Amino acid sequence: MRRLWYRIQRGLRGRRAWIWAGALLLALALLPFVAPAYYVAFGLALLADVALASAWALFSGPTRYLSLAAAAFYGTGAYVTALTGARLGWPGPVLAGAAAGALLSLPVGLLALRLRGPYFAILTFGLSELVRHTVIWYESNVTGTVGRVLVLPLERRTLYWGLLVIAVAAVACAILLARSRWGLALAAIGGDEERAEVLGVRPIGVKVAVFALSAALMSATGAAIAPRWTYLDPHIAFNPLISFQVIIMALLGGAGRPAGPVVGALALGVLSEIFLLQFRYLYMIVLGSVLILVVLGLPQGIMGWRAEERTEDLGRRLRWAIARRIPRRFAMRRQYQLFIGGEWQDATDGRTFPDVNPATGETFTRIPAADAATARRAVEAAERARTEWGELQPAVRAGIVLKAAQIWERRHEDLERMLTTETGAVRAKAGFEVGYCTELIRQAASLTYQASGEVAPSNVSGKVNYFMRKPVGVVSVISPWNFPYILTLRAVAPALALGNAVVLKPSEETPLAGGLLVGEVFEEAGVPPGVLNVLTCARAEVQEVGEVMVTHPAVGVVSFTGSTATGRALAEQAGRHLKRIVLELGGKSPLIVLEDADLDLAVNAAAFGGFFHQGQICMAATRILVEHSLADAFASQLVEKLGTLKMGDPSDPQTAIGPITSPTQLEKIRSHVDDAVAKGAKVLTGGRARGPYFEPTLLTGVTPEMRCYHEETFGPVVALTSVKNADEAVRLANDTAYGLSAAIITGDPKRGLALAERIQSGIVHVNDSTVHDEPHAPFGGIKSSGLGRHGGRAAIEAFTEIRWVSVQTERRHYPFDR
Ligand code: NAD
């Protein structure tokens, strides 16, 4: 079943989408010629459902505003169609109805744009009721036309095709908008208006424009469907279609993805038609009641109760809660908190910031936003806990860390799912990262026994020198969003194992994966209170929280992974306060392909190195240097390979390219590619953003004037350069401020090893991709890529300090002695 669904989705989204869509439209357009009247009427109702649901998805889903203004007045459109029906020829009544509905809904909707949830619904429904009663009063007392019989000389095929056009326009608008920069902004508005501004759009402008579009489409649908009713009764309390659409949108939440609401509308439309045929009045009562319940439910926020949370989280949490295996934190709707001194607590004044799913643009939860004062409390909690933890026997600390590995492994599904939701990681990446971390934590546990020192000879007789490794005390860990589990745990797990207390601050893009979930796992493993503290904060507070984490006197070492710019700023602070800092920063890694290389291997290594996780990897192979004789064949094979990588929903196991993790990052990627193209680079494949996705992009002719030559793009963009020989490859490989990872593909490993020594890089892999790490390997860069190393024994260097203790066993004589 699942497979079939993916196949259908693939067919609809892939290159053959136009053929599918054309065939479907043709079949739909032919229906009135081949089907009896009843089925045409049935088709009409479904088309109206589709048009309405798409118009709704345009606005309501992404913004969390129910566009009830448009919905409410769509009935008015029907009245006007009825009124003008006898006088105007087709499509006059429909156009008049559409204009009337849109004109009424627009001012109400625009005035109410700053209101959300219940207020918006009450105001717009209330006003539409007022209009309805005015019309009824007028018809009862002035014209005496209540229960107007519609006598539209309208041929059913014309009606059907009219609605088909409106439905196609609505679906096309919804799809195009969802994929555009506006759609991205609209999705961002739903959670956080500031994010929309990052995209260079004015949120209110986008809202007004999209609301107007949605109102126009909805009113047109209302007006066009009116002639279908031969008898239009203004006393009908609830228009069944409106009721249905509200319910559908409430349950499915559009969120810029028209497919859900449209499919839902179709399914419910079919049911409704069958039900309506059999039990007309019962149907009205049931729908009316459901609608009342839905509107009453608004104060809790229909949209806060979205399908995703209901189906995935609530069901899962309830199962766990019943099994009583999971403590309070999963029992009910999740409220995430900071973890300080062993207690889960809110941020000062309950401040929070949104956590956004990059694939849908939805805020799926809110995260506490710590400030500097909270950060100080966290460091002080760590300071209080460090001594006792550091003095525990290695076996005890190792036991707790190993328990964490066990819990990590047990929770792998849940952890993988969070990675996909929070970062847009495709299934393969999520599975790899979570699995890798189990090994990483296990490896860290072994360090508890390895922090050994030396007993050294002395120049003074009777003296024994001990060079001992001691925990530094409090370690501050600041991690990025691209591999949040690995890059957090590679510092947190060894720092803890080696006897330190830790204050962790994950990226604001990944507060759960990079922080709070790690806190949960170690809490459950039995880490004593204060030994691990997790602070999450919004972008606005990052600087003040970061400053405390670097400069507080109790902090011994800072472990930072992130961009070179931030690393440099933190290193300056650390320098001023004489703190040690380990920096893992950006990269611009070269992949050299020599003429004796195995072409298949080279292409695969390049595709993986350049495009895994959408190229959002510090070690990504962003510069491919191919020896001249192989360059053309390599380019065409790589382009072909990239064409096979499926881009889209990261939860689909077939997907290779997921969304870019944040709109800001997407803009940066787009600007790098635009800049390169404007300055003469050629796009071999890709080059465009599609909604939150960016196509795998291969450029040639990239020169030093272009931003992407020197700067880290951190996206699926790779520059391919043909080089004369290995010497030129080495020269270009070193022509960068960075020096993190590099790779050489050659048929002669000895030659590869010799070249590796000439490349200025902390890591070089021969006959592999630039993207490779192992828990026990010393990972880190040179030049602007960092200072110090993580991993294996390097972690001992990073998180312990050497103390020299000597013992004098014989009496020592000093120069002042007599
Ligand atoms: P970033 O520098 O924006 O942020 C990294 C972390 O620093 C985040 O937790 C962020 O909240 C925090 N931060 C930002 N400004 C701060 C400030 N003024 N004070 C204190 N903390 C601050 O980087 P990012 O966008 O999260 O990550 C992408 C970058 O990380 C890329 O440059 C990538 O190459 C690099 N990276 C390096 C490695 C490595 O091992 N060398 C690994 C992964 C990512």
Side-chain angles (χ1 to χ4, degrees):
M1 193 62 200
R2 223 182 145 106
R3 270 200 154 174
L4 181 71
W5 177 235
Y6 283 130
R7 264 200 196 154
I8 294 173
Q9 282 188 325
R10 217 175 27 231
L12 289 174
R13 283 197 210 139
R15 288 184 183 167
R16 278 169 292 161
W18 289 110
I19 303 172
W20 275 69
L24 184 69
L25 269 182
L26 191 67
L28 284 176
L30 291 178
L31 186 76
F33 290 116
V34 291
Y38 170 75
Y39 291 106
V40 176
F42 197 87
L44 269 175
L46 295 187
L47 283 179
D49 283 353
V50 168
L52 277 172
S54 318
W56 239 302
L58 280 181
F59 189 75
S60 314
T63 55
R64 314 264 188 283
Y65 292 84
L66 287 174
S67 55
L68 287 180
F73 291 105
Y74 120 99
T76 311
Y79 277 116
V80 174
T81 310
L83 278 173
T84 53
R87 283 168 226 139
L88 303 175
W90 174 264
V94 172
L95 292 180
L103 280 179
L104 272 172
S105 64
L106 272 179
V108 178
L110 296 185
L111 280 176
L113 270 180
R114 292 222 165 263
L115 302 177
R116 285 197 173 215
Y119 308 108
F120 194 74
I122 289 163
L123 180 70
T124 54
F125 254 146
L127 283 172
S128 82
E129 282 298 281
L130 193 68
V131 171
R132 196 169 67 83
H133 282 290
T134 310
V135 171
I136 293 170
W137 179 86
Y138 178 81
E139 293 212 329
S140 318
N141 299 307
V142 182
T143 60
T145 52
V146 177
R148 175 190 312 277
V149 176
L150 279 179
V151 210
L152 284 188
L154 197 60
E155 203 240 320
R156 69 185 158 86
R157 282 182 198 157
T158 317
L159 183 58
Y160 179 89
W161 289 325
L163 257 173
L164 183 60
V165 170
I166 295 171
V168 169
V171 173
C173 283
I175 291 174
L176 290 177
L177 188 86
R179 287 186 178 169
S180 73
R181 176 186 165 101
W182 273 32
L184 206 61
L186 204 62
I189 288 170
D192 177 1
E193 303 214 349
E194 279 170 27
R195 287 172 79 98
E197 280 172 22
V198 170
L199 293 169
V201 297
R202 283 181 48 239
I204 192 75
V206 176
K207 275 196 252 180
V208 169
V210 178
F211 180 80
L213 187 63
S214 121
L217 286 166
M218 211 166 301
S219 299
T221 316
I225 197 76
R228 183 188 170 227
W229 299 318
T230 50
Y231 187 80
L232 188 70
D233 179 359
H235 290 294
I236 291 176
F238 296 102
N239 181 316
L241 279 174
I242 291 189
S243 319
F244 258 137
Q245 302 304 328
V246 171
I247 295 162
I248 290 161
M249 289 309 301
L251 293 183
L252 297 177
R257 286 179 301 178
V262 169
V263 172
L266 277 172
L268 285 178
V270 171
L271 278 178
S272 124
E273 288 295 315
I274 296 167
F275 198 42
L276 180 63
L277 207 69
Q278 299 294 324
F279 317 101
R280 185 178 170 87
Y281 289 101
L282 182 62
Y283 170 84
M284 294 297 172
I285 291 164
V286 169
L287 281 186
S289 318
V290 174
L291 183 57
I292 289 169
L293 286 177
V294 169
V295 174
L296 284 180
L298 278 174
Q300 277 86 48
I302 291 184
M303 294 305 176
W305 189 61
R306 290 189 308 281
E308 185 186 325
E309 287 182 9
R310 258 195 8 267
T311 52
E312 289 197 9
D313 286 332
L314 197 66
R316 187 162 47 92
R317 279 180 214 150
L318 280 178
R319 268 203 327 271
W320 283 353
I322 290 165
R324 293 208 178 272
R325 289 190 52 204
I326 310 291
R328 70 189 153 78
R329 53 181 183 271
F330 289 110
M332 282 320 290
R333 192 184 143 62
R334 194 66 195 275
Q335 197 67 50
Y336 288 101
Q337 292 180 306
L338 305 167
F339 188 47
I340 298 174
E343 306 241 319
W344 293 95
Q345 45 191 267
D346 290 333
T348 320
D349 302 330
R351 271 184 307 189
T352 60
F353 65 101
D355 199 354
V356 177
N357 176 334
T360 63
E362 281 179 295
T363 298
F364 64 94
T365 189
R366 296 196 69 87
I367 301 291
D371 55 10
T374 317
R376 268 190 289 279
R377 277 198 294 118
V379 176
E380 284 154 15
E383 166 73 348
R384 282 194 297 276
R386 59 169 271 203
T387 312
E388 214 173 307
W389 174 249
E391 285 172 356
L392 284 176
Q393 294 92 332
V396 179
R397 284 203 308 269
I400 291 176
V401 177
L402 282 173
K403 181 89 190 292
Q406 225 176 43
I407 297 165
W408 190 269
E409 202 169 29
R410 187 195 78 214
R411 284 186 62 177
H412 76 104
E413 270 180 35
D414 157 36
L415 293 166
E416 283 173 28
R417 196 174 305 122
M418 180 53 75
L419 210 54
T420 299
T421 307
E422 198 174 52
T423 71
V426 301
R427 297 272 289 269
K429 190 260 186 185
F432 160 77
E433 185 169 353
V434 173
Y436 184 94
C437 285
T438 311
E439 295 313 315
L440 192 157
I441 305 173
R442 283 193 187 128
Q443 194 276 337
S446 73
L447 293 177
T448 53
Y449 290 102
Q450 292 181 43
S452 47
E454 291 171 44
V455 179
S458 170
N459 287 328
V460 179
S461 55
K463 181 176 280 299
V464 184
N465 281 320
Y466 298 96
F467 303 153
M468 305 176 175
R469 289 255 166 213
K470 289 283 174 195
V472 292
V474 176
V475 175
S476 283
V477 176
I478 301 179
S479 62
W481 47 262
N482 60 330
F483 275 75
Y485 291 141
I486 295 182
L487 301 176
T488 294
L489 282 166
R490 76 171 177 192
V492 168
L496 290 176
L498 290 162
N500 301 283
V502 171
V503 178
L504 162 66
K505 191 206 77 60
S507 164
E508 52 285 358
E509 304 289 347
T510 48
L512 293 175
L516 297 174
L517 297 189
V518 171
E520 278 177 17
V521 168
F522 279 89
E523 183 205 21
E524 194 181 337
V527 161
V531 168
L532 175 61
N533 305 275
V534 187
L535 291 169
T536 48
C537 70
R539 193 82 197 165
E541 279 88 35
V542 156
Q543 198 163 349
E544 60 178 81
V545 168
E547 190 172 338
V548 173
M549 291 178 66
V550 175
T551 61
H552 194 292
V555 172
V557 165
V558 180
S559 157
F560 173 82
T561 305
S563 64
T564 298
T566 312
R568 212 183 285 281
L570 295 188
E572 276 172 24
Q573 277 179 7
R576 241 175 287 128
H577 289 81
L578 302 179
K579 301 274 170 168
R580 241 159 78 196
I581 183 162
V582 182
L583 297 167
E584 299 285 8
L585 310 175
K588 197 80 202 163
S589 302
L591 174 86
I592 296 176
V593 182
L594 298 180
E595 62 183 352
D596 59 358
D598 170 340
L599 191 56
D600 264 1
L601 169 71
V603 167
N604 287 338
F608 170 73
F611 301 96
F612 189 54
H613 196 38
Q614 297 76 260
Q616 304 172 117
I617 305 183
C618 53
M619 305 167 267
T622 49
R623 299 179 298 142
I624 301 183
L625 308 163
V626 189
E627 256 193 290
H628 184 67
S629 59
L630 212 59
D632 286 347
F634 177 88
S636 66
Q637 263 201 38
L638 184 56
V639 168
E640 195 182 321
K641 171 107 193 161
L642 297 182
T644 64
L645 301 182
K646 182 180 176 230
M647 184 168 84
D649 178 2
S651 56
D652 173 352
Q654 311 289 331
T655 301
I657 305 287
I660 300 301
T661 303
S662 75
T664 328
Q665 192 53 35
L666 186 70
E667 261 318 288
K668 182 177 167 196
I669 298 167
R670 192 203 309 260
S671 70
H672 273 204
V673 173
D674 289 352
D675 169 76
V677 171
K679 290 175 182 162
K682 207 172 137 215
V683 177
L684 289 187
T685 182
R688 280 173 311 166
R690 289 174 178 269
Y693 302 91
F694 202 93
E695 295 171 340
T697 300
L698 194 60
L699 301 174
T700 53
V702 172
T703 58
E705 295 73 47
M706 300 171 190
R707 287 179 66 192
C708 69
Y709 184 92
H710 297 289
E711 292 175 35
E712 191 183 31
T713 307
F714 221 54
V717 179
V718 167
L720 181 64
T721 306
S722 157
V723 291
K724 281 201 299 281
N725 50 34
D727 288 340
E728 189 184 7
V730 170
R731 185 178 63 74
L732 288 180
N734 292 338
D735 185 24
T736 171
Y738 294 104
L740 184 59
S741 183
I744 302 164
I745 312 281
T746 170
D748 179 357
K750 261 168 68 189
R751 190 175 166 219
L753 203 55
L755 277 188
E757 291 187 23
R758 294 169 56 196
I759 293 179
Q760 297 158 2
S761 179
I763 303 160
V764 185
H765 299 297
V766 176
N767 284 337
D768 198 353
S769 157
T770 53
V771 176
H772 177 63
D773 191 11
E774 297 185 35
H776 60 293
F779 186 98
I782 58 173
K783 297 178 15 184
S784 294
S785 287
L787 266 183
R789 298 286 180 268
H790 282 100
R793 291 197 61 79
I796 300 176
E797 296 284 329
F799 302 122
T800 63
E801 57 197 4
I802 297 189
R803 301 265 183 82
W804 172 22
V805 176
S806 73
V807 179
Q808 187 68 35
T809 52
E810 290 169 21
R811 187 179 155 75
R812 177 145 185 215
H813 297 284
Y814 303 103
F816 294 161
D817 289 0
R818 296 191 165 195

